[in-house]
Amino acid sequence: MTDSPAPSPHTPQKPVVHDPELLRERALDALLTARERTGILTDSVDDRELTAQHSPLMSPLVWDLAHIGNQEELWLLRGVAGREAMRPEIDGLYDAFEHPRATRPSLPLLAPAEARAYASEVRGRALDVLESTPLGDRPLVRSGFVFGMIAQHEQQHDETMLITHQLRSGPAALTAPEPPRAAGAAALAPEVLVPGGPFTMGTSNEPWALDNERPAHVREVPGFFIDTAPVTCGAYRAFIEDGGYTERRWWQPAGWELVREHELTAPLFWHRDAGQWLRRRFGVTEPVPADEPVLHVSWYEADAYARWAGRRLPSEAEWEKAARHDPASGRSRRYPWGDEDPTPERANLGQRHLRPAPAGAYPAGRAPSGAGQLIGDVWEWTSSDFLPYPGFAPFPYREYSEVFFGPEHKVLRGGSFAVDAVACRGTFRNWDLPVRRQIFSGFRTARDV
């Protein structure tokens, strides 16, 4: 199975004129929502926990807090408004490319109270900039892009901080209601057919889409079957109990090496006790729920399961076609359910719940293909390397996407319960190393027609 750009990769989307005042209101709401969540994640633990490094894979929470403020100052106060730097001496401390996560605790970071005060002062000034800046022809501010970019950036760090909360030891610091049940899930077909043919991948008219989502282009994809819902813990448990982690034949060589070196036997945070599979979730130990999408698996684990099941991971293009393509109109939607923004009835997003919903939940969020839970619940590994689209142009800086292109990173799609709607849409592309397990990652499988 292959999928590739059509012979004439034109852009079939017409330019959309966006009301600048509506976009200004949307940006204000996105910035305020992000800051409220940042407060929940940082105010729920004491200063000792804020400054501790809970895993060498992650930064101290206080680093993320000040980094959020520093990026907002760099882009909105200095970049848009042309103001003098507030704290130029800290720029290097909060440069993510200059200091790997494992080394950040050794830096002279701002203390929690100072970090909060700095981020708060930046935010007050940034809201003034948002109110007074014309959202005109300057590329950085056109359609409010830079304000949306900063809201997305903060929400992405909020997701990172939620990962840190999952990695920390000790009692639960966060609470949330349970997600909805999956009424009628038993009647769902296990897979759906997505017919072959062209579809529009990516976007040229989503105002806050990031550079790697652009431009829209026609992609030809052969027909395929894809799972109606993400693979569940119960299905993955069958793989474990059939010797999935002891059979070399299911694994890529690098994946098998990972299994052997780290003695992997199950997803991260799972353990077996008295004949029962348990997991640790945000400070609570609980039985692994059979009907919930499996979480905290690497790309290698997802790929091995798919091979064991006689299937494969979907390509990125297959995933997007299953999620966005509407065969009745021939167009690609913003989301599986249509062009309307996500709602609690359509998708599990924004830390509204602290777990995925059972497989088959959110019938109002299903795509025309019949596949569901394509937005929210779990990030879904695809088989694809993270590569640029035809006509890609870096914006507003190379380090956001371009430096990560290549076979080292695999693409994830769809977002998770930890992702806010501002940083999640049908075209949004996430990427990570195939060894990553601490992220909120799951998968679904596919097969050729």
Side-chain angles (χ1 to χ4, degrees), residues 245-267:
Y245 283 84
T246 62
E247 291 279 351
R248 183 172 186 165
R249 57 182 169 150
W250 307 128
W251 297 83
Q252 299 277 357
W256 182 246
E257 184 179 336
L258 185 73
V259 168
R260 305 296 290 174
E261 180 182 354
H262 296 281
E263 300 180 343
L264 303 184
T265 59

Side-chain angles (χ1 to χ4, degrees), residues 172-184:
L174 301 169
T175 60
E178 293 297 297
R181 299 175 62 186

Side-chain angles (χ1 to χ4, degrees), residues 23 43 102 117 144 191 193-194 212 275 328 425 433:
L23 285 168
D43 294 345
E191 64 180 3
L193 170 66
V194 181
N212 62 68
R425 48 195 163 263
L433 299 171

Side-chain angles (χ1 to χ4, degrees), residues 54-58 159-170 233 236 240 245 262-273 276-289 292-298 301 354 356 417 435-442:
H54 299 282
S55 165
L57 295 171
M58 312 304 292
E159 181 183 3
T160 298
M161 288 193 284
L162 190 62
I163 293 170
T164 302
H165 272 270
Q166 170 64 7
L167 288 164
R168 63 179 282 274
S169 58
C233 295
Y236 197 86
I240 297 171
Y245 283 84
H262 296 281
E263 300 180 343
L264 303 184
T265 59
L268 187 61
F269 305 116
W270 285 30
H271 69 278
R272 197 166 178 82
D273 183 51
Q276 182 182 26
W277 281 108
L278 304 174
R279 70 176 182 188
R280 183 170 58 81
R281 181 178 61 85
F282 298 111
V284 175
T285 298
E286 61 188 13
V288 171
E292 192 174 291
V294 69
L295 198 60
H296 299 299
V297 290
S298 68
E301 289 167 295
L354 286 171
F417 66 90
V435 299
R436 288 286 188 254
R437 308 174 84 215
Q438 81 275 18
I439 60 177
F440 299 112
S441 53

Side-chain angles (χ1 to χ4, degrees), residues 58-388:
M58 312 304 292
S59 309
L61 292 168
V62 75
W63 185 93
D64 288 285
L65 175 59
H67 170 78
I68 286 167
N70 186 244
Q71 288 296 297
E72 191 164 324
E73 185 199 346
L74 285 169
W75 286 100
L76 302 188
L77 303 190
R78 302 188 216 174
V80 174
R83 300 183 183 180
E84 293 293 322
M86 291 170 55
R87 300 284 301 268
E89 75 280 3
I90 70 171
D91 287 353
L93 299 177
Y94 298 102
D95 185 330
F97 285 89
E98 190 171 331
H99 300 288
R101 288 175 175 175
T103 68
R104 290 171 189 170
S106 63
L107 301 174
L109 303 177
L110 299 183
E114 195 175 6
R116 283 192 179 97
Y118 169 66
S120 178
E121 185 175 358
V122 170
R123 170 51 57 87
R125 299 183 186 189
L127 294 183
D128 291 339
V129 173
L130 172 61
E131 184 178 356
S132 61
T133 301
L135 305 183
D137 291 334
R138 251 198 312 168
L140 197 59
V141 297
R142 186 182 301 138
S143 298
F145 172 82
V146 71
F147 300 100
M149 182 186 79
I150 287 299
Q152 291 179 80
H153 174 265
E154 181 162 356
Q155 285 286 3
Q156 288 166 336
H157 275 273
D158 287 344
E159 181 183 3
T160 298
M161 288 193 284
L162 190 62
I163 293 170
T164 302
H165 272 270
Q166 170 64 7
L167 288 164
R168 63 179 282 274
S169 58
L174 301 169
T175 60
E178 293 297 297
R181 299 175 62 186
L188 289 175
E191 64 180 3
V192 297
L193 170 66
V194 181
F199 86 105
T200 300
M201 186 172 185
T203 181
S204 295
N205 58 23
E206 183 71 31
W208 295 352
L210 303 168
D211 59 3
N212 62 68
E213 301 172 63
R214 301 172 182 271
H217 57 287
V218 174
R219 184 79 59 139
E220 184 77 31
V221 180
F224 63 97
F225 287 93
I226 192 167
D227 291 338
T228 305
V231 170
T232 63
C233 295
Y236 197 86
R237 191 172 61 205
F239 166 65
I240 297 171
E241 292 170 353
D242 194 44
Y245 283 84
T246 62
E247 291 279 351
R248 183 172 186 165
R249 57 182 169 150
W250 307 128
W251 297 83
Q252 299 277 357
W256 182 246
E257 184 179 336
L258 185 73
V259 168
R260 305 296 290 174
E261 180 182 354
H262 296 281
E263 300 180 343
L264 303 184
T265 59
L268 187 61
F269 305 116
W270 285 30
H271 69 278
R272 197 166 178 82
D273 183 51
Q276 182 182 26
W277 281 108
L278 304 174
R279 70 176 182 188
R280 183 170 58 81
R281 181 178 61 85
F282 298 111
V284 175
T285 298
E286 61 188 13
V288 171
D291 61 350
E292 192 174 291
V294 69
L295 198 60
H296 299 299
V297 290
S298 68
W299 183 89
Y300 291 121
E301 289 167 295
D303 178 71
Y305 172 94
R307 291 168 184 268
W308 169 82
R311 298 171 69 85
R312 57 177 174 78
L313 294 179
S315 69
E316 182 182 14
E318 287 177 327
W319 187 98
E320 188 169 328
K321 185 173 185 181
R324 298 184 64 215
H325 182 62
D326 180 7
S329 65
R331 61 181 290 271
S332 290
R333 301 170 165 188
R334 292 180 71 213
Y335 297 99
W337 55 83
D339 294 338
E340 304 83 14
D341 289 338
T343 63
E345 296 74 35
R346 291 173 174 145
N348 182 4
L349 292 167
Q351 202 179 309
R352 184 179 298 111
H353 311 291
L354 286 171
R355 64 195 302 163
Y362 300 104
R366 292 194 186 116
S369 66
Q373 291 172 280
L374 289 151
I375 296 292
D377 286 307
V378 296
W379 282 111
E380 299 184 18
W381 289 109
T382 72
S383 64
S384 299
D385 298 336
F386 184 48
L387 298 171

